[in-house]
Amino acid sequence: EAARAELLKRGLEVSEPVRYAEDDGATFMYFNDPDGNGWSIQEYRRRATEPLYRVLAELARKQQQ
């Protein structure tokens, strides 16, 4: 919500947040920059407790076994 408020304040038209998965907080917002390029912002709250670098390190460790 804070990111959306900031983008709106800067004059961008931003979609309402769309939550796809309640269990991990996968939420997206979409907007176009002044040049017409489409962008999305993803919130993935699970990463606060499970950082991506740890997930990737674990996958690499399993592949080496």
Side-chain angles (χ1 to χ4, degrees):
E1 293 296 327
R4 183 172 189 272
E6 178 67 26
L7 292 171
L8 289 170
K9 182 175 140 181
R10 292 175 183 240
L12 292 171
E13 293 182 23
V14 183
S15 72
E16 290 288 329
V18 179
R19 180 159 287 129
Y20 290 101
E22 290 292 330
D23 60 330
D24 66 11
T27 304
F28 287 82
M29 294 184 299
Y30 305 94
F31 67 96
N32 291 325
D33 67 18
D35 294 326
N37 299 303
W39 293 86
S40 65
I41 298 173
Q42 177 185 13
E43 175 186 37
Y44 189 57
R45 284 183 262 150
R46 186 171 166 191
R47 289 290 177 242
T49 59
E50 188 179 351
L52 186 56
Y53 73 90
R54 288 186 189 151
V55 173
L56 295 175
E58 179 64 20
L59 287 173
R61 186 185 64 75
K62 288 180 180 179
Q63 288 178 350
Q64 291 176 353
Q65 294 178 349

